[in-house]
Amino acid sequence: MPTSHSHSLDAADVVIVGAGVVGAACAYYAGRSGLSVAVVDRGPVAGGTTGAGEGNLLVSDKEPGPELALALLSTRLWRELAAELPPEIEYETKGGLVVAADEPGMTALRAFRAAQGEAGVESTELPGDRLRDIEPHLAPGLAGGVRYPQDAQVQPALAAAHLLRASGARLHLGAEVTAVLRGPGGAVRGVRTPRGDLLAPAVVNATGTWAGRLASLAGVTVPVLPRRGYVLVTEALPRVVRRKVYAADYVADVASGSAALQTSAVVEGTPAGPVLIGASRERVGFDRTLSAEVLRRLAAQATALFPVLAGVRVIRTYRGFRPYLPDHLPAIGPDPRAPGLLHACGHEGAGIGLAPATGRLIAAALTDTPGPLGARPFRPERFTEGREPV
């Protein structure tokens, strides 16, 4: 490395790489734990997956297990954060509604709901003829649905920005990390950027879909892959969609490991007026090509659920890449293969919802204090080939 690049730009207790919502939550809780924090990102705040997200804070789409436990904790934490952060984050406890088109779909949804209930998810089953009491513009003839009052929403880019502001972290934006610095014994001691070095005894990898690349700079493997998704944004409307409404097959799409294109209707209103329409997922690398086929499918599925949208204009579309790990669980916590390196990545489409719990787990690891829940399922080294059974 040229010596001109090796001057120290900043020193802190922890350097967090990534200024999306997960990195911001890590910075917030690390700062609240009394640590000095530096956050570095090659782009702006929320310039990656966070800025291309809908802001969903969901428990409704998660089957019982470690991710649901993380989501339920985050649900409580988002409520606390909403009381502390400015109203501009647009935190809305509007709840979710999952609908089934036919009786077999309703039977599956009922079983899913029962299992979730045992894990602490609140929900109410609604027969088909009651659905339009709470969503008057829904298509007639649906078999039924389940209402989830714990589902909520935030404006993700603003949530990330306000978490960072409240964290007290020093921000280094537009500075790409080119190396992870290691000490003589292999321990991490900071990161290098073209502007200089950021020194710290701990580095958190919160780089979303690029987390595998940052991990490789530290000599370890975390197999994060990008999974592309689109969102359609309509013109501003009166509140025709009151909560987040999606078809039951969305749950299966989220849990699928398929690389092929999958689309399922996810429709929600926003406080600002536009309706957001998703959700698609496909593994195509970082290909940003606009797919008319995906947009057609999303529009058709949305209007099948809400016929009132048929005459509404879509004013823009955006696409982003969800950080996907093969077992659908994020990597959260210290990496024993590189002492001082911690990961907070691989949340796929749930990172905005799971950010606060992730931040709490990272802060607990950084301060060597008990975490709010068991972090073992999320350990980053679980993907290492040939590791000893544990």
Side-chain angles (χ1 to χ4, degrees):
M1 285 282 172
T3 52
S4 61
H5 281 185
S6 59
H7 70 280
S8 176
L9 191 62
D10 199 354
D13 294 323
V14 57
V15 172
I16 294 168
V17 188
V21 73
V22 171
C26 291
Y28 178 86
Y29 288 107
R32 292 289 293 269
S33 301
L35 301 176
S36 61
V37 182
V39 175
V40 59
D41 196 295
R42 67 183 181 184
V45 171
T49 300
T50 296
E54 292 167 270
N56 296 324
L57 316 177
L58 302 186
V59 297
S60 57
D61 64 341
K62 293 169 183 63
E63 60 187 37
E67 192 187 20
L68 179 57
L70 209 58
L72 286 167
L73 171 61
S74 278
T75 296
R76 296 197 296 275
L77 294 174
W78 270 119
R79 205 172 296 135
E80 292 174 11
L81 289 169
E84 294 170 31
L85 298 175
E88 283 77 13
I89 69 166
E90 294 183 14
Y91 175 72
E92 220 192 339
T93 54
K94 62 186 181 184
L97 177 65
V98 185
V99 297
D102 52 29
E103 209 41 60
M106 196 59 215
T107 301
L109 195 52
R110 210 171 273 132
F112 190 68
R113 173 186 175 241
Q116 288 178 314
E118 290 176 19
V121 174
E122 300 165 23
S123 65
T124 311
E125 183 179 331
L126 294 170
D129 59 6
R130 288 278 318 286
L131 292 176
R132 296 172 82 180
D133 294 349
I134 62 167
E135 286 290 349
H137 296 284
L138 262 176
L142 295 166
V146 175
R147 185 178 186 175
Y148 288 91
Q150 289 158 304
D151 282 358
Q153 188 174 18
V154 292
Q155 208 293 347
L158 291 171
H162 285 290
L163 280 167
L164 284 170
R165 182 174 291 169
S167 75
R170 294 187 295 281
L171 293 184
H172 302 272
L173 302 176
E176 182 155 11
V177 170
T178 56
V180 174
L181 306 174
R182 310 284 286 272
V188 165
R189 59 182 191 87
V191 299
R192 176 152 292 163
T193 79
R195 292 188 212 156
D197 295 347
L198 298 169
L199 301 179
V203 170
V204 177
N205 175 12
T207 56
T209 43
W210 294 276
R213 184 179 166 279
L214 189 87
S216 69
L217 292 179
V220 299
T221 300
V222 179
V224 172
L225 294 170
R227 209 177 183 194
R228 187 172 70 184
Y230 288 90
V231 175
L232 310 185
V233 184
T234 75
E235 61 192 310
L237 302 170
R239 203 66 188 256
V240 295
V241 183
R242 298 178 181 179
R243 52 191 58 70
K244 181 187 179 70
V245 182
Y246 62 87
D249 52 0
Y250 171 75
V251 176
D253 284 0
V254 170
S256 163
S258 171
L261 171 65
Q262 296 162 310
T263 63
S264 46
V266 179
V267 184
E268 61 199 300
T270 64
V275 171
L276 305 180
I277 297 167
S280 68
R281 49 197 69 226
E282 55 189 327
R283 290 214 310 274
V284 289
F286 284 104
D287 181 359
R288 299 193 70 85
T289 313
L290 189 68
S291 167
E293 167 62 13
V294 176
L295 304 184
R296 270 197 301 272
R297 277 169 65 165
L298 290 176
Q301 288 171 325
T303 53
L305 265 190
F306 286 94
V308 68
L309 296 176
V312 169
R313 282 186 313 131
V314 169
I315 55 170
R316 67 188 180 97
T317 66
Y318 57 91
R319 54 203 168 287
F321 297 96
R322 304 179 185 91
Y324 165 91
L325 279 168
D327 63 357
H328 295 284
L329 289 178
I332 305 171
D335 193 324
R337 301 166 296 180
L341 177 68
L342 298 89
H343 299 282
C345 59
H347 298 77
E348 203 173 327
I352 294 154
L354 301 179
T358 300
R360 280 283 307 276
L361 286 174
I362 291 294
L366 288 168
T367 54
D368 201 21
T369 55
L373 50 75
R376 189 171 173 75
F378 312 113
R379 62 196 187 284
E381 75 277 15
R382 68 188 187 270
F383 301 104
T384 307
E385 286 181 357
R387 66 178 171 82
E388 292 298 309
V390 289

